[in-house]
Amino acid sequence: MNGAESLLTTFVASGVNTCFANPGTSEMHFVAALDRQAEMRCVLGLFEGVVTGAADGYARMTGMPACTLLHLGPGLGNGIANLHNARRAQVPVINVVGDHAIEHQALDAPLHSDIQSLASAVSGWVHHSTSAINVPKDAARAVQAALSPPGQVATLMLPADCAWDESSGPAAPLAPEAACEVPSEHIEAVAKLLQRHEGDVALLLSHPATVGDALNKLDRIARHTNATLLGDTFLTRIERGQGRTDVKRIPYFAESAMIELAKYRHVVRIGAREPVSFFAYPGRPSQLAPEGTSFHLLARRHEDIDAALDALIERLGVPSVVAPSQHACPDVPSGEITTEGLGLAIGATLPADAIIVNEGATSTGGIPTATAGAPPHDWLDLTGGAIGQGIPVAIGAAIACPGRRVLSLNGDGSAMYTIQGLWTQAREQLDVTTVVFSNRKYSILQIEFMRTGTLNPGPKAMSMLDLSNPDLDFVALAKSMGVPGARVQSLEELSSALSLSYSQPGPYMIEVPC
């Protein structure tokens, strides 16, 4: 058994059975080993940003890492933007980055680079294997590191000779660290604050407090104490829809966020940080909460949030019965395409147990409200702000959850970053509906241009934010990669196209001019 075979066998024994790959010459022994490891599914991406984004989406839906296979430093570099998003999402991802054989590294061959530095920028754990004998132990440690609460990116560099030399055989799985206990004084302080029942407290949530039992417990606590549930602007994953609590979000634009946060004298952080603006603006504060707001910490993301909520429920005497969400599912809309109408069309047609991947930027503002009463679904956000996540994350979510339809919402500019992902969707016959909102411009940047205080942009500046001349044809792009689709002109056509895509297996593209 060579090093590559021992690595794959260790991964499978540790529960890692999916690999998203874009290999090169230094990874050929890993590729050959795939033929001898039937339990490892390998999915080819035509660009490393697709590979890393897919691993992110997979982890968000399973809680387990997939591994990526990347070619040397340049391959890792191509995938870094979506690894940045995965790092911000705090989900488990394992990168296997091929490297030159150890003796070859000193020769400074053309593809040689400082992989360690590149990996360190987006990884919580980085290691360079030094022999085939050590590879299986290194693989087990990588899985253990990735699963360290709440989850992190782990990068293992695999020199080519460590893959082809004889190894010692697979290593036994290593148990990940347990979540840290929340200090009892945090629970007691928050309990005393909530006992006031004065309605001036926001419970500020982030992953993993937005899924499963944690979200249900928080809903009960908020109802019992007259507190407000408030989510981060962009969440790793949140469970939404009929029968589930509808969590208000901190708005993206700083002015709106400040208005929302001004409603609360006290903000309790549960897996969340103190909110700050995404960018600095001339003459405006970067801290979003008004002066005088008191922040309180219940639990950090690596701590045992579920146990802390159980203790808080007991301390407050919270009843177990919670009324289900009463939001209504919207009717199918008609007429011309508007931002509000987009939300209604999506909310009216969304199938049960769908997964929404949102990277629609300025076109999706009406969708959260319109889908609050839709059938139960999961919602995944652009956590790190690096665009080009929507199509890849949809790939990972679809592979993680076969039988569930994934709805991928994308701005046209964002979609072009990782449009190659459509080819992977077609090759794997994934149940993904990709919607591209085609306004033929970087609309968010046009807004931000004005907000930075730069007035009266000229034609050269505006041309940098424009996506016309020539116009992009997303239906044709999708067709060229094996994905059928349609361009719609009205809300009726959009609703029909969505319903059609949900009724048949495989991927589908819908281009929406807006």
Side-chain angles (χ1 to χ4, degrees):
M1 180 178 285
N2 65 25
E5 292 167 329
S6 69
L7 180 144
L8 285 172
T9 306
T10 301
F11 276 170
V12 168
S14 302
V16 179
N17 55 22
T18 302
C19 175
F20 298 99
N22 187 274
T25 302
S26 54
E27 294 79 48
M28 286 299 101
H29 285 82
F30 184 111
V31 173
L34 289 169
D35 283 327
R36 296 182 287 278
Q37 182 46 261
E39 295 179 65
M40 176 66 75
R41 178 178 183 178
C42 199
V43 179
L44 178 62
L46 301 185
F47 173 64
E48 292 87 344
V50 173
V51 168
T52 54
D56 180 1
Y58 181 93
R60 294 193 196 203
M61 296 309 302
T62 64
M64 285 294 295
C67 70
T68 72
L69 180 62
L70 306 171
H71 182 43
L72 298 165
L76 174 62
N78 283 341
I80 274 182
N82 277 330
L83 289 174
H84 163 79
N85 290 327
R87 180 178 70 86
R88 285 294 185 176
Q90 292 191 277
V91 293
V93 172
I94 302 168
N95 299 311
V96 177
V97 183
D99 197 1
H100 290 301
I102 292 173
E103 289 188 359
H104 194 71
Q105 292 172 21
L107 303 178
D108 195 25
L111 273 170
H112 181 68
S113 64
D114 186 354
I115 302 174
Q116 177 89 25
S117 294
L118 291 168
S120 296
V122 289
S123 308
W125 181 92
V126 181
H127 182 73
H128 198 287
S129 287
T130 56
S131 74
I133 298 296
N134 292 334
V135 164
K137 294 178 183 178
D138 295 340
R141 290 173 56 214
V143 179
Q144 181 186 47
L147 287 170
S148 296
Q152 64 179 343
V153 177
T155 299
L156 176 63
M157 288 164 279
L158 182 67
D161 52 341
C162 294
W164 71 53
D165 283 347
E166 280 298 304
S167 184
S168 56
L174 298 174
E177 298 176 8
C180 298
E181 184 178 352
V182 172
S184 58
E185 56 267 28
H186 290 186
I187 298 168
E188 183 63 25
V190 171
K192 287 181 178 179
L193 175 67
L194 292 172
Q195 281 177 325
R196 296 161 51 252
H197 297 272
E198 293 186 7
D200 59 355
V201 178
L203 304 178
L204 181 58
L205 317 180
S206 192
H207 179 72
T210 52
V211 295
D213 288 342
L215 188 56
N216 293 331
K217 292 170 186 176
L218 282 160
D219 187 29
R220 290 164 54 197
I221 291 168
R223 291 170 186 262
H224 182 67
T225 62
N226 199 27
T228 298
L229 295 183
L230 188 62
D232 267 346
T233 305
F234 296 129
L235 294 171
T236 299
R237 176 183 171 192
I238 184 168
E239 295 176 348
R240 306 182 66 248
Q242 194 59 244
R244 295 168 171 172
T245 186
D246 186 32
V247 177
K248 186 185 298 187
R249 300 287 197 92
I250 296 176
Y252 170 81
F253 290 115
E255 299 87 343
S256 300
M258 294 172 75
I259 291 171
E260 178 61 38
L261 288 166
K263 299 174 183 177
Y264 314 105
R265 289 181 55 203
H266 301 274
V267 176
V268 178
R269 296 192 293 117
I270 306 172
R273 301 179 179 183
E274 292 189 19
V276 298
S277 61
F278 271 69
F279 303 99
Y281 298 95
R284 301 180 190 178
S286 292
Q287 299 286 341
L288 295 177
E291 189 174 344
T293 302
S294 295
F295 282 93
H296 312 262
L297 175 63
L298 176 64
R300 297 181 176 90
R301 293 174 103 174
H302 68 279
E303 295 176 327
D304 192 339
I305 291 176
D306 267 319
L309 295 178
D310 285 338
L312 191 58
I313 284 170
E314 182 177 1
R315 174 70 173 76
L316 293 169
V318 177
S320 58
V321 178
V322 176
S325 169
Q326 299 299 314
H327 296 280
C329 188
D331 295 327
V332 174
S334 60
E336 65 180 24
I337 294 171
T338 63
T339 300
E340 180 182 4
L342 290 174
L344 295 174
I346 289 169
T349 58
L350 193 70
D353 217 21
I355 302 166
I356 297 178
V357 178
N358 179 35
E359 197 184 355
T362 55
S363 298
T364 57
I367 296 175
T369 300
T371 53
H377 59 276
D378 287 279
W379 182 286
L380 315 181
D381 277 320
L382 176 64
T383 49
I387 64 175
Q389 174 185 284
I391 291 173
V393 165
I395 292 170
I399 288 175
C401 302
R404 297 180 64 177
R405 173 59 64 165
V406 179
L407 175 61
S408 175
L409 306 175
N410 304 269
D412 47 4
S414 298
M416 287 303 295
Y417 274 56
T418 46
I419 196 71
Q420 308 94 324
L422 296 177
W423 181 89
T424 299
Q425 291 180 14
R427 186 184 222 212
E428 301 292 326
Q429 278 301 287
L430 302 178
D431 294 335
V432 178
T433 300
T434 300
V435 178
V436 174
F437 303 109
S438 183
N439 54 26
R440 297 188 172 129
K441 58 188 175 183
Y442 288 123
S443 184
I444 186 65
L445 293 183
Q446 290 189 4
I447 295 170
E448 292 285 18
F449 196 106
M450 304 304 176
R451 296 178 72 245
T452 59
T454 307
L455 302 178
N456 300 320
K460 186 182 295 185
M462 291 306 294
S463 72
M464 294 297 98
L465 313 179
D466 178 73
L467 298 180
S468 62
N469 188 31
D471 291 337
L472 294 162
D473 186 339
F474 285 94
V475 175
L477 284 167
K479 183 179 179 180
S480 74
M481 288 181 273
V483 177
R487 192 170 196 268
V488 300
Q489 300 291 344
S490 67
L491 293 174
E492 292 96 333
E493 289 184 4
L494 172 59
S495 299
S496 295
L498 288 167
S499 297
L500 173 65
S501 75
Y502 302 150
S503 69
Q504 58 190 22
Y508 196 83
M509 160 67 70
I510 302 173
E511 183 176 356
V512 183
C514 59

